[in-house]
Amino acid sequence: MEELKVAEETRVVGQAVPRLDAEAKVKGEARYADDLAFPGMLYGKAIRSPVPHARIKRLDLSKVAAHPGVACVVSPADIPGENVVPVIYRDMPLLAAEVVRYVGEPVALLAAETREAAYRAAELAEVEYEELPAVFDPLEAVKSDAPQVAVPEAAETGNVFNHMVIRKGDVARGFAEADEIVEGEYRVGYQEHVYIEPQGVIAVPEAGGMAIYGTLQCPFYVQNAVAAVLGLPLSKVRVVQTATGGGFGGKEDVPSQLAAMAAVLAWKSRRPVKVVYDREEDIATTSKRHPAVIRYRTGAKRDGRLVAVEVEFYYNAGAYQTLSSAVLWRGLIHAAGPYRIPNVKVDGYSVATNTVPCGAFRGFGSPQVIFAHESQMDELAVRLGMDPLELRERNALRVGDRTATDQLLEESVGLMDAIERARELSGWERLRREAEEFNRREPFRRRGIGVSTVMYGVGMGAKAPLLDKAGAYVKVEADGSVTVAVGNTEMGQGALTVLAQIAAEALGVRVEDVQLAPVDTSRVPDSGPTVASRTTTVAGAAVLDAARKIRARIEAAAREVLGADAVEIADSKVWPAGGDSGRAVPLSEVTRWMWVHNWDMGATGWAQGAPVDWDPETGLGKAYFVYAYACHIAEVEVDLLTGEAKVRRFWAVHDSGKIVNPALARGQVAGGVAQGIGYTLMEYLPSLEGRIEGTLMTYRIPTAPDMPEELVIDFVEAPYSDGPYGAKGIGEVPLMASHAAVANAISHAVGARLTEYPALPERVFALARNKTHPR
């Protein structure tokens, strides 16, 4: 009981202080959630359903509670607040109370003194299930006689969570005017995030509330979820982001579930509780990219002008809504691609099935439809006898054009520049000739050249405009250094560096003098979620707003100190305007003067996305305040004897407005290209009767040898007037463009259309033997 006493004493004092566990001491640091330990800390574990759909007849945790290492157990009846994990809807319970809807759904929780005890005790739970009919395929789930999976309050009808549309122009007339029409059905499966660090949180009771430490993207989402399950006001829950080893969307919504689990265990036990998934549990039970079935029909005139597109797609959402309505919406808006098309009809469906709930993944619903629309563009090029890059140039959006949602593009459209730059860098015409020559002389190998062009709506868009805002706090210290506080998180994408650069540029200080404060919801403003490639654009604008206010005060103080009418500030030095910068004084002299004279040295900043206006009945309107664009070109070599495909060379050109940090931006593109290659070629995660069948032993992701021998990355800058220094988003776009370029290159190489991901060797081998169109 001594440990409990220590824990209680720590809690009463206020905020508990973490210590290093033995393993972390060996490492010499405590940065990640799994490195942290607190006095008296327990280890939490979920007891999960082994079946995909069943009614819970009996739940007996007596043997679990009797285990000598177990400190407490939690059933649905023990949850002090609401039994829910709120995301967009409130349909997903923290613990299934009556019905389980997917394999791995939590039905109870336990906390034990050690991880080993937690795992052993979980096996002692006695749960009696009455199995119910299950459905795993979205096309089966939408049928009228399908088992009911969706919680009715969260669905539009039956198992259809959401049905969204775009209706622009007259599609029937457009197809009647078309000289060529191509049709196709495309399928994609799951994609696993494979972040370096698995999901993990620690819940620590504090006086009257709860603190959460965890690996996460959206701390204010987690705060909301924990407050809901504990029945506490938001002010009584604080969330601290620990160093986060990758996210890619997988740590947007899932940490809310883990944090809620740990929180109810900590609330009941009055001790800190750590919940960290091992890799097997992480893969089996957390969100994935939505599998999809996508049907396209595209019409064009003989000269290549697109006249109509008709799309119907189904996303397998899994058992609960989580983020699927937002994922579906982004897929809808991007379904027609970055092209001028006068007649557009799109129907998108997110469908409930008895599978693990899907959620956010880099690209957020757009990669699935991009695979289809870029395949359609290449098919049209074949039918029309046109160069596929020329076909894209002929239809690419420009300033003054209207998107598929009839949004007028008034500025910052660099797609044509990106296409031209990609053509130039790759030597497009020569590249195609070289591939043809190689294929004529090589009997068992084929090379193909693929291209893709994409657009990406930056920010949350018209589906969630209330979230497209950001707050920031900037404070200049007495010694001239600067502290910046935002609620956005760093997870390897370089956000801290970019935000520091924006503050440094605005204030005229050295970037090394800017420090970003740790993210703690009790100490930083809500800057909106760290998603949707919005951090630089929206949070950066908030930082800029605050920094400019401080800059004005510094200049006023400097005029007093220097006795000058105007001053210049750069590199943390100040001098009279028009004077000799070699005689400048350190900024610290001015800031010290400000401190001595009791000047306000801090300022808050605020930014929000430009107004959007979208009609859900027609799908028309201003969907996003600005778009980023990209053109990717891939050269792939296929072994016809084995079906193995290798990306040899790759060119990626992006318009993301002003590039604040070129090195970080290139890193984002390289990483996105790698993930796109994995999505196309190798990342295969089968599901058998709703059970995810895969571990890191069988789920292949790209490694260094899988990357192209030559990777050329460049940027064209079409500045966005409301972005900080003209910047737009970049984080998600590289993955979105890369996979489709690789897919088109494979189709070009083997002379047949790839219609399903991933392009495993056996699939490519069969494709090459059964060609569906002439080369």
Side-chain angles (χ1 to χ4, degrees):
M1 295 298 293
E2 185 62 26
E3 271 194 322
L4 179 59
K5 181 180 178 183
V6 172
E8 286 291 313
E9 288 175 353
T10 305
R11 180 181 62 81
V12 170
V13 167
Q15 297 178 357
V17 179
R19 62 172 173 79
L20 294 175
D21 61 19
E23 182 183 0
K25 285 181 181 177
V26 173
K27 295 177 183 176
E29 57 184 12
R31 300 185 303 132
Y32 296 95
D34 203 25
D35 291 338
L36 294 176
F38 290 79
M41 189 176 73
L42 300 170
Y43 295 84
K45 175 72 176 164
I47 297 166
R48 300 180 180 275
S49 168
V51 295
H53 199 197
R55 186 169 287 107
I56 302 172
K57 302 292 288 184
R58 183 174 66 92
L59 174 63
D60 186 350
L61 302 176
S62 58
K63 292 182 180 179
V64 179
H67 187 284
V70 170
C72 79
V73 296
V74 168
S75 70
D78 297 316
I79 296 172
E82 187 179 355
N83 184 12
V84 67
V85 181
V87 187
I88 297 174
Y89 292 77
R90 303 177 75 87
D91 60 322
M92 185 166 74
L94 177 61
L95 300 175
E98 298 177 358
V99 175
V100 292
R101 291 179 168 84
Y102 68 95
V103 173
E105 181 165 9
V107 298
L109 304 170
L110 68 93
E113 301 292 345
T114 66
R115 278 189 175 128
E116 294 75 13
Y119 276 77
R120 292 193 189 100
E123 297 174 353
L124 301 176
E126 295 181 2
V127 189
E128 181 183 341
Y129 296 98
E130 177 189 331
E131 292 201 44
L132 301 171
V135 62
F136 311 107
D137 185 326
L139 297 183
E140 294 296 319
V142 297
K143 294 180 178 178
S144 59
D145 60 349
Q148 181 66 34
V149 182
V151 175
E153 293 77 13
E156 292 186 10
T157 179
N159 288 321
V160 176
F161 279 139
N162 298 100
H163 172 209
M164 300 180 186
V165 306
I166 294 176
R167 300 288 188 266
K168 176 187 176 186
D170 185 336
V171 171
R173 185 179 67 186
F175 281 115
E177 295 173 353
D179 296 314
E180 288 289 349
I181 298 174
V182 297
E183 298 185 53
E185 180 176 289
Y186 308 87
R187 292 176 178 254
V188 295
Y190 290 113
Q191 187 178 18
E192 170 64 28
H193 301 92
V194 200
Y195 23 66
I196 277 182
E197 177 195 24
Q199 302 277 354
V201 301
I202 302 171
V204 182
E206 293 182 343
M210 190 68 64
I212 303 293
Y213 299 81
T215 173
L216 47 91
Q217 290 181 230
C218 305
F220 291 90
Y221 284 10
V222 174
Q223 182 190 37
N224 184 53
V226 172
V229 297
L230 296 183
L232 293 175
L234 293 171
S235 60
K236 293 291 187 179
V237 177
R238 68 185 188 96
V239 179
V240 180
Q241 184 216 14
T242 59
T244 296
F248 310 116
K251 292 175 182 173
E252 178 177 349
D253 56 321
V254 174
S256 293
Q257 184 183 44
L258 272 82
M261 290 179 184
V264 295
L265 287 167
W267 189 263
K268 185 173 182 180
S269 67
R270 308 310 300 167
R271 293 169 63 178
V273 175
K274 175 186 285 189
V275 176
V276 175
Y277 289 173
D278 60 28
R279 187 63 68 171
E280 182 179 358
E281 185 176 20
D282 199 302
I283 291 176
T285 67
T286 66
S287 67
K288 317 277 179 260
R289 189 184 301 285
H290 292 65
V293 180
I294 311 121
R295 296 165 178 161
Y296 265 72
R297 185 171 177 235
T298 309
K301 301 294 286 184
R302 196 163 284 110
D303 63 3
R305 286 181 295 113
L306 298 175
V307 292
V309 63
E310 185 172 10
V311 186
E312 181 181 78
F313 65 95
Y314 297 83
Y315 283 178
N316 186 344
Y320 296 105
Q321 272 271 16
T322 67
L323 292 163
S324 288
S325 65
V327 170
L328 180 73
W329 188 78
R330 189 172 282 272
L332 180 87
I333 302 305
H334 292 79
Y339 306 116
R340 290 187 310 278
I341 311 175
N343 305 293
V344 179
K345 179 184 179 184
V346 185
D347 288 88
Y349 301 86
S350 60
V351 183
T353 63
N354 293 114
T355 58
V356 63
C358 288
F361 199 127
R362 194 177 191 178
F364 205 75
S366 64
Q368 297 94 320
V369 294
I370 288 170
F371 169 41
H373 74 56
E374 288 305 281
S375 296
Q376 290 270 291
M377 290 297 284
D378 268 27
E379 284 293 294
L380 269 176
V382 170
R383 293 276 191 93
L384 295 167
M386 287 185 68
D387 179 291
L389 194 58
E390 180 186 349
L391 179 62
R392 288 168 170 83
E393 286 177 319
R394 187 156 299 183
N395 294 283
L397 290 168
R398 299 163 170 82
V399 171
D401 286 337
R402 291 186 177 273
T403 68
T405 70
D406 208 36
Q407 176 177 345
L408 176 65
L409 299 175
E410 300 180 277
E411 64 164 326
S412 189
V413 184
L415 180 57
M416 277 300 298
D417 290 339
I419 293 172
E420 288 306 310
R421 185 60 175 151
R423 178 193 290 276
E424 176 188 349
L425 290 172
S426 65
W428 173 259
E429 290 79 9
R430 183 189 72 253
L431 193 64
R432 300 267 291 185
R433 289 195 303 271
E434 289 174 352
E436 292 170 1
E437 293 167 2
F438 179 89
N439 294 340
R440 280 195 293 268
R441 69 173 185 265
E442 292 288 339
F444 303 120
R445 291 183 294 163
R446 292 289 183 269
R447 288 182 183 171
I449 312 301
V451 59
S452 71
T453 50
V454 302
M455 65 189 297
Y456 178 80
V458 177
M460 308 301 290
K463 187 69 172 65
L466 298 180
L467 294 176
D468 238 344
K469 56 195 174 188
Y473 178 71
V474 176
K475 177 189 176 188
V476 61
E477 308 290 351
D479 62 357
S481 62
V482 177
T483 300
V484 176
V486 295
N488 295 108
T489 56
E490 175 64 61
M491 49 192 156
Q493 81 276 36
L496 297 186
T497 301
V498 168
L499 295 177
Q501 283 184 267
I502 290 171
E505 179 72 18
L507 292 169
V509 303
R510 297 169 302 200
V511 70
E512 58 265 31
D513 290 336
V514 180
Q515 177 68 36
L516 270 290
V519 176
D520 178 333
T521 56
S522 68
R523 300 180 182 181
V524 300
D526 185 351
S527 302
T530 309
V531 300
S533 303
R534 64 182 294 278
T535 300
T536 297
T537 311
V538 184
V543 170
L544 185 58
D545 181 45
R548 284 173 171 166
K549 295 173 184 176
I550 295 296
R551 172 68 177 250
R553 293 177 203 165
I554 293 173
E555 289 180 351
R559 290 194 295 270
E560 293 282 342
V561 172
L562 300 177
D565 293 331
V567 296
E568 296 181 35
I569 307 173
D571 199 27
S572 294
K573 297 176 182 177
V574 187
W575 63 94
D580 182 3
S581 61
R583 301 177 62 183
V585 301
L587 178 64
S588 58
E589 287 191 20
V590 177
T591 53
R592 172 63 64 178
W593 184 93
M594 294 172 67
W595 185 85
V596 168
H597 288 80
N598 295 330
W599 281 39
D600 185 358
M601 300 174 72
T604 58
W606 185 254
Q608 59 186 20
V612 289
D613 182 19
W614 181 78
D615 179 6
E617 295 298 319
T618 63
L620 303 182
K622 185 176 182 179
Y624 291 95
F625 54 77
V626 75
Y627 296 85
Y629 303 87
C631 178
H632 284 198
I633 294 172
E635 180 187 44
V636 169
E637 185 172 308
V638 176
D639 186 325
L640 296 180
L641 299 180
T642 65
E644 184 178 12
K646 165 69 178 174
V647 182
R648 296 186 69 250
R649 293 185 285 178
F650 203 98
W651 296 265
V653 181
H654 285 255
D655 162 34
S656 287
K658 176 65 179 177
I659 301 300
V660 176
N661 188 307
L664 288 175
R666 289 177 186 276
Q668 285 286 298
V669 175
V673 168
Q675 278 188 311
I677 289 172
Y679 189 37
T680 308
L681 295 184
M682 63 190 71
E683 296 190 33
Y684 178 55
L685 193 63
S687 175
L688 180 63
E689 297 295 298
R691 185 183 304 275
I692 298 293
E693 301 281 330
T695 67
L696 287 188
M697 293 290 291
T698 57
Y699 187 78
R700 278 195 64 204
I701 60 172
T703 59
D706 298 304
M707 290 295 286
E709 299 164 11
E710 181 181 354
L711 173 57
V712 179
I713 298 168
D714 202 7
F715 303 97
V716 295
E717 296 182 341
Y720 170 48
S721 60
D722 286 338
Y725 301 105
K728 301 189 289 189
I730 192 171
E732 300 184 70
V733 190
L735 183 151
M736 293 164 52
S738 58
H739 69 91
V742 173
N744 281 338
I746 291 172
S747 297
H748 182 230
V750 302
R753 176 54 50 190
L754 178 70
T755 59
E756 187 171 0
Y757 281 177
L760 300 173
E762 55 268 35
R763 191 169 283 161
V764 176
F765 179 79
L767 193 67
R769 295 189 62 176
N770 301 284
K771 297 180 179 181
T772 57
H773 67 64
R775 288 183 54 78

